[in-house]
Amino acid sequence: MTLLVVGSIAFDSVETPFGKADEALGGSALYFSYAASYFTPVRLVGVVGEDFPMKSLDEFRARGVDTSGVEVSKGKTFRWKGKYEGEMNVAQTLDTQLNVFGDFKPKIPAAFQNTPFVFLANGAPVTQMSVLEQVKSPRFIVADTMNLWMRIAKPALLTLLRRVDGLILNDEEARELSGERNLIRAGRAILGLGPKIVILKKGEHGAFLFSEFFQFALPAYPTDDVKDPTGAGDSFAGGFMGWLAATGKVTLASLKRAMAYGTICASVNVEDFSFAAMRRTSREQLERRMDEFIQFIQF
Amino acid sequence: MTLLVVGSIAFDSVETPFGKADEALGGSALYFSYAASYFTPVRLVGVVGEDFPMKSLDEFRARGVDTSGVEVSKGKTFRWKGKYEGEMNVAQTLDTQLNVFGDFKPKIPAAFQNTPFVFLANGAPVTQMSVLEQVKSPRFIVADTMNLWMRIAKPALLTLLRRVDGLILNDEEARELSGERNLIRAGRAILGLGPKIVILKKGEHGAFLFSEFFQFALPAYPTDDVKDPTGAGDSFAGGFMGWLAATGKVTLASLKRAMAYGTICASVNVEDFSFAAMRRTSREQLERRMDEFIQFIQF
């Protein structure tokens, strides 16, 4: 089944102990789309400035991403500049220029409005909500969020949480949203805010999935070659939602396998800057890594 | 098969956000013995002072722990005082009185010298080595260690590592010993120092097992009720070694299951101070938690 993603398209300038990238292609919606398109057709909605080379979306279209929802707006494309040090668990933001993304009012093309699987990448909760007002009876909606919205838009975020099926967030965000230090309590508390599933990402420590009826945990894929963590969370979400949409089913079994595909996509993505590592990884190679991962965690 | 453990017996005074314990029974060898004795007969070697109420070992004997290797020495029993705050990942040591444990020269009783499975709880590498000089062709030896020995007794530790089959240590210790920040690289680098397997404990984030031929990872059991982490690592080791000794086999399959039993024992232990949580948990209850855990991680 098809999968709609609404989120940012950006130029990222990133420095890590292993190198740097200057104004490289990035943004949550693009990382998500790249990963999800290993599995299923993706419909992308985002905004870029007049400075954006539309040709750079060719490789996405070649992977089955429908980019007709990418709007060109007067002004410059969103830019983010950051740095990772030491164990690279946390990005230090050096500069954020929202530019056209600051006024992003997503318009979901008519042809996209009946997409069954929907991912709302990180953004203002009101913006995420505006997407839900434009889609027609989606089967499964998952949202990402971040600390900022818990601080400046809590009521809107809480409203959104009552409308989505799933929420993806990282451990610190889960602690902040729930007020619980223990991650298991945090995950369960967030279920109480509305979503049927909560996915808690822990970077190199893997991820948890909470639902009313079961919990599930996965370690990260054991990569010893992390060059740039930018986009790890979004490629995780892309693999997760991409697999669910491909199967067309949201069941205990499909959710578990989707978590594993999310883990694998993230593990590939962090091995190089921007899209370089995913670009050189075929679906076949992804499956081989999945087989290895299953050996790594099953008994 | 039987299992020998050599390590500390202590009185612990512990404060956590959930309460406190004053001069409660503790020590690495006791935590290890309690957990291991769910699975197999244990032979315990340790030292206590004249102030130690030997009656407190009755419950260990009732579980199949042979305490005839516990020596009473002139002086006081080892005392440790510590505090856990916030997420309780790291103990702050407030006071350490080694007392009789400071001069511990383990004497392995003749009846214990042919024990096939051996665990060297944390202690000075020369002391751990002295145990290996007294045992006769053990099948499988695992050692625990800590940062202190990497700093003050590195050559002795490196000698020990060439003599043991396995090493258990936590993530920070693994980083310090290997000089690698990435945990996967750290685990592999430590394999290069001698042990055939390396187990890397990550507290609430689970554990990794590294060997030359395979790797394995488990998340922690999702407990939302952590009261006191003291002894978590030793009860993990107890469950791990206890299961291996019970099966009498060290294979890919038994190692994986042993990791899971270690995880389960640690998860029980942290739910209360001293031995209170293990004391109220039967083997049957342990197996129920194991079943739950398997649901939590398998797909």
Side-chain angles (χ1 to χ4, degrees), chain B residues 61-72:
Chain B
R61 281 187 284 269
R63 295 173 64 88
V65 179
D66 185 335
T67 62
S68 59
V70 177
E71 183 192 347
V72 183

Side-chain angles (χ1 to χ4, degrees), chain B residues 65-87:
Chain B
V65 179
D66 185 335
T67 62
S68 59
V70 177
E71 183 192 347
V72 183
S73 213
K74 216 178 159 72
K76 291 180 75 180
T77 301
F78 177 24
R79 274 163 175 79
W80 178 77
K81 194 171 175 178
K83 196 174 171 176
Y84 295 85
E85 293 178 322
E87 292 157 50

Side-chain angles (χ1 to χ4, degrees), chain A residues 221-238:
Chain A
Y221 175 86
T223 181
D224 59 359
D225 185 25
V226 181
K227 281 209 178 65
D228 174 17
T230 309
D234 295 305
S235 44
F236 176 95

Side-chain angles (χ1 to χ4, degrees), chain A residues 87 175 181-182 184-185 188 202 204-205 215-217 219 222-224 256 295-299, chain B residues 87 175 181-182 184-185 188 202 204-205 215-217 219 222-224 256 295-299:
Chain A
E87 291 157 50
R175 288 188 168 116
R181 300 302 299 161
N182 177 290
I184 308 297
R185 284 178 192 268
R188 289 190 194 140
K202 306 189 294 167
E204 65 165 336
H205 298 302
Q215 293 174 45
F216 185 57
T223 181
D224 59 359
K256 286 179 167 190
Q295 288 304 313
F296 180 61
I297 55 173
Q298 299 294 289
F299 66 98
Chain B
E87 292 157 50
R175 288 187 168 117
R181 301 303 299 163
N182 177 288
I184 308 298
R185 283 176 192 268
R188 288 189 194 142
K202 305 187 296 166
E204 66 166 335
H205 298 303
Q215 293 173 46
F216 185 56
T223 181
D224 59 358
K256 285 179 166 189
Q295 288 302 315
F296 180 60
I297 56 173
Q298 299 295 289
F299 66 98

Side-chain angles (χ1 to χ4, degrees), chain B residues 2 15 43 49 58 84 102 109 112-113 116 129 163 169 191 206 225 235 261 264 283 289:
Chain B
T2 51
E15 202 184 321
R43 294 164 169 178
D58 283 355
Y84 295 85
F112 288 9
Q113 290 176 5
M129 188 67 93
R163 291 282 305 276
L169 71 185
L191 282 181
D225 185 25
S235 45
Y261 275 116
I264 292 304
R283 170 73 190 259
R289 187 174 289 209

